[in-house]
Structures are given as C-alpha cells and as structure tokens.
Amino acid sequence: MRKISVIGIGAGDPDQLTLQAVRALRSTDVFFILDKGELKSDLVQLRRDILEAHVPEGTYRLVEARDPERDRSAAGDAYFPAVGDWRSARAGIYERLLVEELGEDETGAFLVWGDPALYDSTLGILQEILDRGEVTFSYDVVPGISSVSALVAKHRTGLNRVARPVQITTGRRLAEGFPEGVDDVVVMLDAHQTFRQYTDQDIDIYWGAYIGTPDEILVSGPLAETAQEIERVRAQARERKGWIMDTYLLRRHPR
C-alpha cells in the first residue's frame, strides 16, 4: 500500500524542523509540491532549500503541479462553497499525482508550512481522496512549528497570560467583532489588516511577516501607535514580493 507523510516544516527556517520531521523527510521517495505561480516561486524554493539542508541528494524525486486558482472574490454565503470547490480541485490533483507518480511500495510526502493541524487543508483533502475510493493509501502526520509559535518566540512573549484563554481566529472572523471573554487573540489569514478596527482600544499588537525567512519583518507595540507603521511596511513588502504571509497577536489590557 502507498504511504503518505504530511510533514510540518515550520514557518520557513530550515532549522525549525523537528528531528521527527527530518527522519520522515529522509524516508520519503517522492515529495509533492504545488506551484502557486511565478509570484510565489520563492515558496517552492524554500521547500527545495529545506530538502537540500536535510536530505541526501539523489535519494528522492520531486514532483510539482500547478495549484488550482481559488475564487478570492467570493464573500458572504458564497465563501464556503468557493473554498469547497478549491479543495475538491486540489483533491483531484493530489489523487492524480498519487496514482501516476507514486509506486505502490513507495512513500510520498506533502510538505506543509507550519503545522498541518492549523489552518491547512492537506489532511481534509487526503480524507476526501480516501472517501472517493479510487486510490488507497495510509498516511501519518508529523507536527511542525507553526507561524503562531514562531511569532511569539520572535517577540519573546507567550500566547496566553496566567489563567487566561487564548483564541486563534481569522481576519474574516475578527471583522465580525473582538471575541468575547478573550483578551489574547491570534489572527491569521488577514488580507485586510482588520486590526485597524481596534485602534481606539487599549491593545498591544505583536505582528510578523515572512516569519523564519530572510525577509522576516517584526513590529510590536501599542496598536494605536503601530497600526500605521504595520500598514506601511506591509504594503512595501507586498509590493516588493508580490505576496505576503503575516500573523499577529492582539493583547487587550484588562479593563
């Protein structure tokens, strides 16, 4: 039976891989990588750099395919169907790769940014493929250092305060309101800098982009004082690279 490893590779720094992840890399025959286009070609190169740093040359094959486009204009009731269509399109690509590129006695791997359990679709897509019943395989999951963990480490702070909860959410959800009963909120997948809605509150922000890579940018401080600076450096970075991956922690002071 074909075997698949879903390997968390951290936020971009090759040194962030766990020993378990390195062992999984070295036992893999075929690595599957989805290319997101020329603007994000450095994401593919980062994966190549990780393999070059940890896996002997000539011991594996690298198979690339083009990632399907997602309808990012979909909003409201159309948002979830659009995401579902995109995931199903990805499942079709993964299924084809497994059938055509992976022998029945080989091990393949998907390299997942951060941790596979946190805002990543790979596990759900693999289960969708199994549910279709056209190809069978077993798979395991290797946890990784998430961008959330890397963010707070870079800022030398923690996710939560004593006896207090922390919530991880998206920019889309934050736009609906600051979560009730929580003063420490991590925000991911925020293309619209939703933190700007809360500059009138007593909140500190710990923001980071391209965490763990040579392009890393970090900004922290009172939200009212740093929001414009974050907007400025974020816009400059996105213009320079054509894309941006950022995460931030909002820490509200007790009232």
Side-chain angles (χ1 to χ4, degrees):
M1 179 179 288
R2 297 175 178 87
K3 296 181 180 178
I4 302 294
S5 291
V6 181
I7 305 173
I9 58 173
D13 185 344
D15 289 340
Q16 287 183 348
L17 268 72
T18 65
L19 294 177
Q20 182 185 12
V22 172
R23 286 195 297 271
L25 292 178
R26 292 178 178 174
S27 64
T28 295
D29 301 299
V30 184
F31 292 98
F32 300 107
I33 295 179
L34 289 192
D35 182 359
K36 293 180 177 292
E38 184 177 351
L39 285 178
K40 295 186 177 180
S41 60
D42 44 354
L43 291 176
V44 173
Q45 187 57 49
L46 281 171
R47 285 181 167 93
R48 290 180 179 271
D49 292 343
I50 286 171
L51 293 177
E52 290 175 6
H54 295 290
V55 187
E57 186 178 358
T59 62
Y60 61 89
R61 303 194 311 278
L62 196 63
V63 175
E64 295 185 30
R66 186 61 183 266
D67 197 18
E69 294 292 332
R70 196 181 103 194
D71 182 5
R72 297 189 178 276
S73 65
D77 293 341
Y79 176 75
F80 288 103
V83 172
D85 291 343
W86 170 71
R87 286 176 58 149
S88 292
R90 261 194 171 187
I93 294 172
Y94 285 11
E95 186 175 67
R96 176 181 59 80
L97 294 177
L98 295 178
V99 171
E100 297 179 359
E101 302 289 350
L102 188 66
E104 292 188 359
D105 59 346
E106 290 186 315
T107 296
F110 294 94
L111 307 181
V112 173
W113 293 117
D115 185 277
L118 185 61
Y119 285 109
D120 183 80
S121 62
T122 305
L123 299 182
I125 289 173
L126 291 179
Q127 189 58 53
E128 181 175 335
I129 296 171
L130 287 174
D131 291 343
R132 292 177 179 181
E134 299 298 324
V135 59
T136 59
F137 55 87
S138 64
Y139 70 94
D140 57 24
V141 181
V142 179
I145 295 175
S146 69
S147 63
V148 176
S149 297
L151 173 76
V152 293
K154 290 290 186 176
H155 283 292
R156 297 178 297 175
T157 188
L159 279 177
N160 66 293
R161 286 172 283 184
V162 176
R164 297 291 297 160
V166 60
Q167 182 165 325
I168 301 175
T169 190
T170 65
R172 183 181 296 271
R173 292 296 187 185
L174 184 68
E176 298 171 0
F178 205 94
E180 294 185 12
V182 181
D183 292 322
D184 296 280
V185 178
V186 176
V187 184
M188 306 179 70
L189 307 175
D190 184 6
H192 303 292
Q193 302 157 85
T194 311
F195 56 80
R196 294 178 297 185
Q197 293 183 199
Y198 301 97
T199 54
D200 61 339
Q201 298 187 30
D202 190 10
I203 294 175
D204 290 334
I205 186 170
Y206 300 85
W207 177 87
Y210 315 113
I211 301 166
T213 75
D215 296 308
E216 177 179 276
I217 311 169
L218 300 171
V219 179
S220 65
L223 182 56
E225 299 174 12
T226 57
Q228 288 187 344
E229 172 68 5
I230 293 171
E231 288 184 68
R232 183 184 66 80
V233 298
R234 190 184 190 281
Q236 289 178 345
R238 196 179 192 287
E239 176 68 22
R240 183 177 69 254
K241 291 181 67 66
W243 62 276
I244 192 164
M245 289 169 46
D246 57 340
T247 305
Y248 56 89
L249 166 66
L250 296 179
R251 172 155 291 157
R252 184 164 55 185
H253 290 252
R255 297 173 182 173

